[in-house]
Amino acid sequence: MAIDATERRPWWLNLTVSLVLAGVGAFGGAMTGRRDRVKAEVRRDTLEAGERELGQYRVKLVPEGTQAPAPFKPDDYTSYSLTTATRRLQLWEFGHLPQWSHPRTELHLALEGHVVVITGPQGLLGRCVLEK
């Protein structure tokens, strides 16, 4: 854009616009990286000593008694994620707000079509559709 615009605008204006846009992009990237680092630290702090995170999966929650939505697509929005660790399973909202955390030995996972049903000692913990 800056190269093609030199025919219509002075070079110093193109340089100024390019530098401002580069600064805005760098600031946005730094803020995104900081936010992701803080979320990772919050998740890491909930784990026990010697435990490590194995994976994190985006999920859509399905309320009990409702029909299951279509299978998860890459462009679907969800604020929930299911994290597997060496000893536990955790549900997070927005990547940093814990909803629940239980040892994997206490949980039972079952499939109802493409919906994963998670039950624990106190009953149903959630029904969700996993991201592919």
Side-chain angles (χ1 to χ4, degrees), residues 13-39:
L13 182 61
N14 288 330
L15 179 64
T16 305
V17 169
S18 297
L19 289 176
V20 168
L21 291 176
V24 168
F27 180 75
M31 295 285 65
T32 300
R34 180 184 178 281
R35 184 182 63 232
D36 290 346
R37 179 181 49 90
V38 168
K39 287 180 182 181

Side-chain angles (χ1 to χ4, degrees), residues 84-129:
T84 57
T86 50
R87 292 183 222 137
R88 68 183 56 246
L89 193 64
Q90 301 171 319
L91 181 69
W92 295 88
E93 186 173 9
F94 300 113
H96 65 280
L97 298 172
Q99 300 299 304
W100 51 259
S101 176
H102 292 283
R104 288 182 6 201
T105 56
E106 295 178 359
L107 299 176
H108 176 73
L109 279 71
L111 281 175
E112 291 178 356
H114 61 276
V115 177
V116 178
V117 179
I118 305 167
T119 54
Q122 63 270 35
L124 181 69
L125 291 173
R127 298 173 68 227
C128 55
V129 178

Side-chain angles (χ1 to χ4, degrees), residues 18-82:
S18 297
L19 289 176
V20 168
L21 291 176
V24 168
F27 180 75
M31 295 285 65
T32 300
R34 180 184 178 281
R35 184 182 63 232
D36 290 346
R37 179 181 49 90
V38 168
K39 287 180 182 181
E41 287 175 5
V42 168
R43 287 193 308 269
R44 196 172 29 254
D45 289 344
T46 63
L47 301 176
E48 297 174 355
E51 190 174 18
R52 63 185 175 90
E53 190 176 298
L54 299 175
Q56 188 172 14
Y57 308 94
R58 294 183 335 142
V59 295
K60 272 197 284 189
L61 296 183
V62 180
E64 189 174 6
T66 62
Q67 187 177 5
F72 203 92
K73 297 178 193 136
D75 58 343
D76 285 351
Y77 172 77
T78 181
S79 60
Y80 292 96
S81 61
L82 198 60

